[in-house]
Amino acid sequence: MTALAFHQVGVRYGDRAALVDFSLELAPGEVVALIGETGSGKSSAALAALGLLPDGARIEGQIVRSGRVAMVFQEPLLALDPLMRVGRQVAEAVRAPRAQARARAAQALIDVGLDPARVARRYPHELSGGQRQRVGIAMALAGEPAVLVADEPTTALDPDTTAQVIALLVAAARNRGMALLLVTHDLALARCHADRLVLLDAGRVVETGRLPAALTLPRTATLLAQIDHVPQRGPLSPDRQPVLTVRGLVHGYDGRRVLDGIEFDIHAGEIVGLIGPSGEGKSTLLRLVLGLETPQAGTVTIAGHDMHKVHGAQLRDARRHVQAVFQDPGASLDPHWRVGRIVAEPLGLWPGSLSRQATHAKVCDALARVGLDGDAAGRYPGAFSGGQRQRIALARALVVEPALIVLDEATSALDAAVRADMLDLLAGLGDSGIALLFVTHDQAMIAGLADRVLHLSDGRV
C-alpha cells in the first residue's frame, strides 16, 4: 500500500522549472528525508503534495494520496493566524464536536511539550519561535493525517527540543502508520531518523537510497562535509572598545521574571553567541537590546547611548547603531516592496537627508557586501530563495553602517552550502569591526564562529 506517490511530477513558475520528472512513493509508517540546496525544489514538492502551489504555478504528472495530508511549515509566524488564540487554532484541525476538539487540541499541545494551561489562550506573537513551531506541529498531528509533510520542522528549536519533536514525529509515523516526508537541510537529522534519503538538485533527483548506505553517495558525502564548515577569523584588536554594555537587566511578563540581573559587554569586531533552551528569554533579551521593549530594571547602552533614556535625534542615532536580522526572512521582508526599497528603509535613521543618487549608491553597496548584484534592487522578495532573502535582510541591516548587528537564528533555515557561505560573510563582518550578537540553538555552528558564547538559563547568564 502507498500513502503518498508522485508520478513524474513537474512544477513550473513561468519559464522556470522548479521540479522535473519527480517520482517518489512513501509507504505507511515510512520516514523519507528530502534534502537539497536552497532552490533545489524541495518546498515545491512539499506544496504540490497538498495542492498548495501558488497561483500561476503549472503542475504536470500525477500525485496520489491515500488519505488526509497535513503539513508543518518552515516559518511558523507566517503559518499561524496572528489574531487567533493558540488553542483555537489547534482545535480547528480536529473534525469533531467542540468539546472533543478542545480536548484533542490540549493533548496535541502536551504531545509536543507545551502546557495547554499556559499557551492555549495566548496569541502566536506571545510565544518564542520554538514554541510557535511546536504549535504548528500540534496542529498537524491533531487532525490524525495519513501523511505528514514536515518542511524544516525543527528550524526554530533548541537541540533538546529538536530531539524530542523529531522523536515524536517519527514515533507518530511508526505507531499510527503515518507516512512522514521530512523536508530538511539538516543532513545530520535525516541521517539519524529517516529510512530513505532523496537528494534534489535543480528540481531533479540526483541521488537516492536507503540509510545509512546513502551517506556514501558522492553528492551526499559533500553535503556532510559542508555541515562541519568553520569560517576563518582574523585576530581581534586588543584595544577594541565596548559597543554594547548591559547592566542589571530585569524583565518579565504576567508576574513571571524572564530575565534576572543580566550583565555582559560586546566589543567592536567581536562575535558573541547567545544560546539556551526555547522559552528561556533569548528573544526577550534581543527586544530589549533593540529598544523594542523597556526593561523593568537595568540599562542597555549602545555606542554610548542608553537605549531606554534617549529621545528624539539621540534615539534615532542609537537605533542606527544597532540593527537586526530576524529568524524568518519571509516574515521580515514586505512582499509588496521591491528589494531596493526594503534595503533603503533604515536610511531614515541616517543623519541628514540623502539624495536619491546617494541612497541608490548605499543600497547597491549594501547588496554587494552580501553577495547580491545591483539588479536585485528592482525585484520582489518572492523572486529569491530563502538564503537570498536572508542576505537581503542582512543588507538592510548593513546599509546604515551599524556598530552592532543582532541576529536571531539567522542561519537556521539555510541548507549546508548556503549556511557555509553566510558564516564566511558574517566572519568577514566581524573582521571589519562590526560587533555581532548571534542567537542560535546550533551550538556546534556557533562554537566555530563566535569569540565567546553566553548561555542563558533561568533568567541568568
Side-chain angles (χ1 to χ4, degrees):
M1 180 180 175
T2 300
L4 175 66
F6 297 82
H7 298 300
Q8 294 183 307
V9 172
V11 175
R12 300 186 68 87
Y13 303 102
D15 295 332
R16 184 175 69 86
L19 211 58
V20 181
D21 291 332
F22 179 67
S23 295
L24 174 66
E25 293 188 3
L26 284 78
E30 186 181 26
V31 180
V32 175
L34 186 61
I35 66 171
E37 297 183 0
T38 301
S40 63
K42 305 187 305 294
S43 292
S44 291
L47 293 173
L50 285 93
L52 292 179
L53 289 168
D55 292 340
R58 289 187 290 125
I59 185 168
E60 303 169 344
Q62 186 180 27
I63 299 175
V64 180
R65 313 167 186 86
S66 67
R68 297 186 68 190
V69 182
M71 186 167 184
V72 178
F73 292 92
Q74 180 176 341
E75 298 175 347
L77 197 59
L78 297 180
L80 300 177
D81 188 329
L83 303 179
M84 187 182 295
R85 297 183 192 273
V86 163
R88 182 181 170 192
Q89 294 197 52
V90 178
E92 269 199 339
V94 180
R95 292 179 177 176
R98 180 176 298 180
Q100 186 178 347
R102 287 177 177 173
R104 280 172 55 181
Q107 184 58 51
L109 290 170
I110 293 171
D111 288 343
V112 297
L114 295 174
D115 182 355
R118 291 183 59 182
V119 304
R121 294 193 58 77
R122 298 174 73 180
Y123 292 95
H125 73 273
E126 296 177 301
L127 305 180
S128 70
Q131 290 170 323
R132 287 194 293 263
Q133 190 66 300
R134 281 184 277 176
V135 170
I137 293 170
M139 289 174 63
L141 293 178
E144 299 183 348
V147 179
L148 177 61
V149 179
D151 188 0
E152 303 288 0
T154 61
T155 290
L157 306 183
D158 61 76
D160 289 341
T161 308
T162 291
Q164 294 167 9
V165 167
I166 287 296
L168 171 67
L169 291 175
V170 172
R174 309 297 191 208
N175 298 335
R176 303 181 186 187
M178 177 187 73
L180 175 60
L181 180 61
L182 181 61
V183 180
T184 182
H185 64 264
D186 190 339
L187 188 52
L189 194 71
R191 174 175 54 187
C192 294
H193 298 284
D195 302 308
R196 283 190 291 142
L197 180 147
V198 178
L199 175 60
L200 283 177
D201 183 39
R204 297 179 182 272
V205 176
V206 292
E207 289 181 349
T208 184
R210 299 199 67 82
L211 290 165
L215 298 175
T216 62
L217 297 171
R219 296 283 293 274
T220 303
T222 299
L223 283 178
L224 276 174
Q226 291 170 332
I227 289 174
D228 299 324
H229 176 74
V230 177
Q232 297 299 309
R233 292 289 313 281
L236 285 170
S237 171
D239 60 349
R240 64 193 189 280
Q241 298 298 310
V243 169
L244 170 67
T245 300
V246 176
R247 294 289 181 268
L249 208 59
V250 175
H251 200 60
Y253 305 98
D254 300 326
R256 183 175 69 93
R257 183 166 288 189
V258 178
L259 301 177
D260 187 9
I262 300 294
E263 297 193 353
F264 64 93
D265 295 333
I266 300 181
H267 296 80
E270 190 175 26
I271 300 178
V272 175
L274 180 63
I275 63 174
S278 297
E280 289 293 332
K282 300 187 300 299
S283 295
T284 297
L285 178 56
L286 259 61
R287 288 195 292 271
L288 294 173
V289 168
L290 291 167
L292 301 178
E293 292 190 32
T294 301
Q296 295 166 350
T299 60
V300 175
T301 304
I302 296 175
H305 299 289
D306 186 328
M307 288 294 291
H308 305 287
K309 290 186 178 178
V310 294
H311 303 281
Q314 286 186 320
L315 178 59
R316 286 196 300 274
D317 189 51
R319 291 192 183 281
R320 181 175 73 83
H321 283 96
V322 56
Q323 293 292 300
V325 178
F326 294 101
Q327 180 175 329
D328 297 338
S332 65
L333 304 179
D334 191 322
H336 303 294
W337 285 14
R338 296 183 190 273
V339 166
R341 183 181 176 187
I342 290 171
V343 175
E345 186 180 14
L347 289 172
L349 301 172
W350 194 261
S353 60
L354 291 171
S355 67
R356 180 177 297 181
Q357 184 177 4
T359 297
H360 179 72
K362 280 191 167 293
V363 168
C364 290
D365 179 65
L367 289 171
R369 290 186 71 178
V370 300
L372 295 173
D373 59 41
D375 292 342
R379 299 159 67 189
Y380 292 96
F384 296 88
S385 68
Q388 290 171 322
R389 287 197 295 267
Q390 198 62 300
R391 287 174 181 263
I392 293 167
L394 184 57
R396 179 176 58 185
L398 289 170
V399 76
V400 288
E401 302 176 18
L404 170 70
I405 296 179
V406 174
L407 303 109
D408 187 3
E409 297 284 2
T411 62
S412 61
L414 307 181
D415 63 65
V418 176
R419 186 180 72 164
D421 290 342
M422 182 65 76
L423 293 179
D424 287 337
L425 174 59
L426 295 175
L429 294 179
D431 290 344
S432 73
I434 298 175
L436 304 178
L437 176 59
F438 201 126
V439 177
T440 183
H441 292 306
D442 191 337
Q443 297 184 27
M445 178 276 292
I446 202 62
L449 175 68
D451 302 299
R452 290 187 293 127
V453 174
L454 307 177
H455 185 271
L456 194 62
S457 181
D458 296 326
R460 296 180 179 272
V461 174

